[in-house]
């Protein structure tokens, strides 16, 4: 199951302590739409001051509290990608113009979600995330079904020969062994679609979210 929020669903990322309570409330509503609860929903929290965008972790019942959306953002463990074997755990990622990539291993029933913005893709992040799934989780790339979220469709990555976000992600995923026919991409442009907040369009302190859960 995949849920994507819109602007009317409320802001999905806190930029100050004053916003924490409201953002947590908004994210709990998303979790409910994803047929789960806040205490069983893990947040992919990427920050831009760590010097790396390649931190990938498995989430299970033993460490879920480190990523749980019921905590204020300042108390969450950072990650660029999360993966779970548990059908009880949902994965949530706030976004503006960056690309969110959902991956599902149909053979082993493993769910993964990775933030794929410019910085991550410049570090070959989508390719390395698939290899993380292969090496750490036993996934076979050909078993992965992939969804690329709404994003800034025309944003170009200078360091990757001006490739667009989805174009760069698709190339890296396929180079890692994901089958082209298993990749589905949203055609929503967050910059031009007013239902989605966009950093490029001036929405500096507003985010939508995608939430995924196995059923």
């Amino acid at each position: 199951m995949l849920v994507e929020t819109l602007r009317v669903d409320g802001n999905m990322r806190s930029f100050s302590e004053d916003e924490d309570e409201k953002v947590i409330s908004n994210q709990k509503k998303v979790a409910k739409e994803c047929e789960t609860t806040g205490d069983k929903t893990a947040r992919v929290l990427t920050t831009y001051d760590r010097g790396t965008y390649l931190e990938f972790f498995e989430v299970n019942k033993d460490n879920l509290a480190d990523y749980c959306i019921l905590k204020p953002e300042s108390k969450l463990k950072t990650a660029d990608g999360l993966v779970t074997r548990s059908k009880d755990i949902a994965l949530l990622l706030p976004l503006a113009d960056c690309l969110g990539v959902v991956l599902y291993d149909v053979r082993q029933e493993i769910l993964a979600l990775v933030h794929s913005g410019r910085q991550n893709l410049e570090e070959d992040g989508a390719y390395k995330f698939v290899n993380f799934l292969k090496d750490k989780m036993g996934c076979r790339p050909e078993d992965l079904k992939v969804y690329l979220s709404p994003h800034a469709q025309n944003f170009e990555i200078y360091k990757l020969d001006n490739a667009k976000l989805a174009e760069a992600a698709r190339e890296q995923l396929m180079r890692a062994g994901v089958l082209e026919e298993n990749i589905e991409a949203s055609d929503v442009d967050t910059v031009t679609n007013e239902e989605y907040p966009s950093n490029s369009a001036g929405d500096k302190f507003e985010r939508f979210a995608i939430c995924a859960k196995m059923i």
Side-chain angles (χ1 to χ4, degrees):
M1 168 175 289
L2 176 68
V3 172
E4 292 177 359
T5 72
L6 301 174
R7 172 170 273 144
V8 294
D9 298 306
N11 182 29
M12 296 294 163
R13 179 170 185 183
S14 176
F15 292 91
S16 71
E17 291 183 0
D18 294 339
E19 296 179 278
D20 285 344
E21 185 176 345
K22 182 60 177 177
V23 169
I24 290 172
S25 176
N26 291 340
Q27 292 182 347
K28 285 170 64 177
K29 292 176 183 177
V30 179
K32 185 175 181 180
E33 286 190 42
C34 218
E35 298 185 4
T36 189
T37 53
D39 60 329
K40 293 181 179 179
T41 303
R43 158 86 180 273
V44 179
L45 173 61
T46 297
T47 58
Y48 294 95
D49 56 359
R50 293 169 295 133
T52 180
Y53 304 95
L54 301 175
E55 291 188 322
F56 311 135
F57 303 100
E58 180 181 0
V59 181
N60 53 47
K61 62 181 180 62
D62 296 323
N63 68 353
L64 176 58
D66 291 335
Y67 308 95
C68 182
I69 64 170
L70 298 184
K71 283 186 175 181
E73 185 169 306
S74 61
K75 298 186 182 300
L76 291 175
K77 185 174 179 179
T78 59
D80 299 296
L82 293 177
V83 55
T84 187
R85 302 176 189 270
S86 175
K87 288 190 174 183
D88 292 329
I89 295 175
L91 305 177
L92 182 143
L93 171 63
L95 292 164
D97 291 324
C98 290
L99 181 66
V101 182
V102 181
L103 306 96
Y104 176 61
D105 183 326
V106 297
R107 178 175 62 92
Q108 295 195 93
E109 296 190 306
I110 293 173
L111 178 68
L113 177 59
V114 64
H115 179 272
S116 294
R118 173 182 63 82
Q119 294 91 340
N120 174 281
L121 292 169
E122 285 180 348
E123 294 190 36
D124 217 12
Y127 173 84
K128 291 176 180 176
F129 190 56
V130 172
N131 278 293
F132 170 83
L133 297 177
K134 181 171 63 174
D135 297 339
K136 301 297 183 181
M137 307 296 292
C139 296
R140 300 185 309 202
E142 61 268 28
D143 293 327
L144 295 173
K145 299 283 188 178
V146 178
Y147 174 71
L148 308 182
S149 78
H151 62 283
Q153 297 278 349
N154 292 316
F155 181 85
E156 296 180 344
I157 306 173
Y158 173 74
K159 291 185 179 180
L160 299 181
D161 296 324
N162 295 324
K164 296 177 182 179
L165 292 171
E167 180 184 2
R170 189 185 295 271
E171 185 279 326
Q172 292 177 19
L173 291 164
M174 292 173 59
R175 179 157 40 88
V178 176
L179 302 179
E180 183 176 13
E181 59 265 30
N182 286 347
I183 302 174
E184 176 187 354
S186 170
D187 61 0
V188 171
D189 187 347
T190 54
V191 179
T192 60
N193 190 317
E194 294 184 357
E195 293 185 307
Y196 294 81
S198 164
N199 188 62
S200 297
D203 304 314
K204 304 295 184 182
F205 302 105
E206 190 179 2
R207 299 290 185 269
F208 73 99
I210 57 173
C211 185
K213 180 180 176 293
M214 291 184 283
I215 55 174

